[in-house]
Amino acid sequence: MDAVLFDFSGTLFRIESAESWLRAALDETGTALPDAELRETAAALEAAGALPGGAPPESVPEELAGVWARRDESARLHRAAFTGLSRRVPLPAPGLYDALYERHMSPDAWSPYPDARRVLRALRERGVGVGVVSNIGWDLRPVFRAHGVDGYVDAYALSYEHGVQKPDPRLFSAACRALGADPGRTLMVGDSREADGGAVALGCRVRFVEHLPVAHRPDALLPVLDLV
């Protein structure tokens, strides 16, 4: 293999819990909420699918369906989709909706999977190009920098920067071009068969991992080293 492409959320990193996310936004805005109500509200936000990188929405309201389908094509659409979902849940202060969105972009909101650093470092040592291909509406590079793994990534192909989202092969193609890699000698690693499986159309091999909490998935990325 000349290169390995990785998805971001659910593959290399995992977002914090909905409760932690809400608590951080409450602290940021100086808003108080009793613990029982906080837990109830966090559960409602999670059911609404309002946490990017978290559980998908149980249902998408008709007025958001169009935005939701294209949410990763631009920063504007991404914010509109997720703040639209969060506004389905009553919150004690109007500023919390934007605070929640801002919080999920903070490096503190993300944790790398336990084996991510080891795998990325090993690929760098073997001279294998590494790219990150993500459906996202904001710049995730600061997350990689804050967690000390940006030095192992050679290229980023982010949907909102290209105006196209996975499974469209054009996003994987952009990553391969940036790496100077032959798609036929490139491996795509992700957690979504629908989105990340789109790399097959380009000729890439694909390996899937499960989108589990960090503590429940200690070594799912390690087999990548055997494949390359």
Side-chain angles (χ1 to χ4, degrees), residues 68-73 135 159 163-169 171:
W68 180 256
R70 301 177 54 215
R71 63 191 179 278
D72 296 312
E73 293 180 9
N135 278 353
S159 61
V164 62
Q165 58 190 23
K166 298 182 289 186
D168 194 311
L171 198 60

Side-chain angles (χ1 to χ4, degrees), residues 170-195:
R170 288 177 292 176
L171 198 60
F172 305 105
S173 180
C176 288
R177 285 197 307 272
L179 293 169
D182 176 357
R185 294 180 54 82
T186 297
L187 174 67
M188 175 67 205
V189 183
D191 68 298
S192 170
R193 281 166 170 74
E194 178 184 1

